Amino acid sequence: MPLNLLRFRITYQNVNRVRQIINVFLKHGFGRVIDQLHLSRFIPFRKRIRTLHEWRSLRDPAVAEALRMTFEELGPTFIKLAQILSSRPDLVTKQFADEFRKLQDRVPPFPTEEALRIIEKRDRCPDRAHLFTY
């Protein structure tokens, strides 16, 4: 496969992952965050109008739970980030740290087949830019 075609394919996969991440954040009510990060260009216009201005108060106890569920749904990398943040209540509030702590030992298993597929895919390609692309 020519190098330019390989780079295009990897870029396409990365854009799809960004869209997937954005959709999960929207699903859990974090549309305003997507808007503030200027990622709305990855969302179809109709969906943008409906969802971007949804915002939960950070003081609402349900926000920590919603963010934990968002990280959980997004997979191993985000779960690991939440696990790290759970040990840093000085960076996130105690409320968020306590909620993220639930991801220390109550995480749904990651399918072994999926892990093997990702590792094999990484080993086949000389360009490692897609290392964390699912």
Side-chain angles (χ1 to χ4, degrees):
M1 187 178 304
L3 189 57
N4 287 337
L5 188 56
L6 180 64
R7 284 188 180 151
F8 176 76
R9 185 171 156 242
I10 291 168
T11 300
Y12 179 75
Q13 289 172 338
N14 290 336
V15 168
N16 279 338
R17 179 64 176 156
V18 168
R19 282 189 177 140
Q20 180 186 27
I21 291 167
I22 288 170
N23 283 324
V24 173
F25 271 88
L26 290 174
K27 174 183 167 184
H28 290 280
F30 295 105
R32 185 89 181 252
V33 173
I34 300 304
D35 193 33
Q36 289 175 343
L37 293 174
H38 305 290
L39 295 173
S40 57
R41 67 180 175 265
F42 293 104
I43 306 168
F45 183 72
R46 293 178 113 175
K47 191 172 189 176
R48 209 179 309 165
I49 291 173
R50 264 192 328 234
T51 59
L52 279 184
H53 299 292
E54 292 178 14
W55 181 248
R56 298 173 183 217
S57 168
L58 288 178
R59 300 195 194 313
D60 182 1
V63 171
E65 182 181 7
L67 191 56
R68 178 194 46 85
M69 292 184 335
T70 301
F71 284 179
E72 191 173 335
E73 188 173 334
L74 287 171
T77 304
F78 284 87
I79 291 171
K80 184 54 71 180
L81 173 63
Q83 289 171 339
I84 292 167
L85 289 174
S86 74
S87 67
R88 296 297 309 265
D90 57 319
L91 295 178
V92 297
T93 64
K94 182 176 177 348
Q95 174 187 0
F96 281 88
D98 289 344
E99 191 63 39
F100 293 157
R101 203 165 286 119
K102 292 178 182 177
L103 292 175
Q104 296 289 354
D105 55 2
R106 289 185 239 156
V107 179
F110 186 71
T112 305
E113 300 81 26
E114 182 73 12
L116 290 173
R117 185 188 64 76
I118 293 168
I119 292 168
E120 288 171 358
K121 178 179 167 186
R122 184 202 61 170
D123 288 342
R124 280 192 306 255
C125 295
D127 184 1
R128 309 280 183 183
H130 67 288
L131 182 60
F132 298 107
T133 304
Y134 296 98

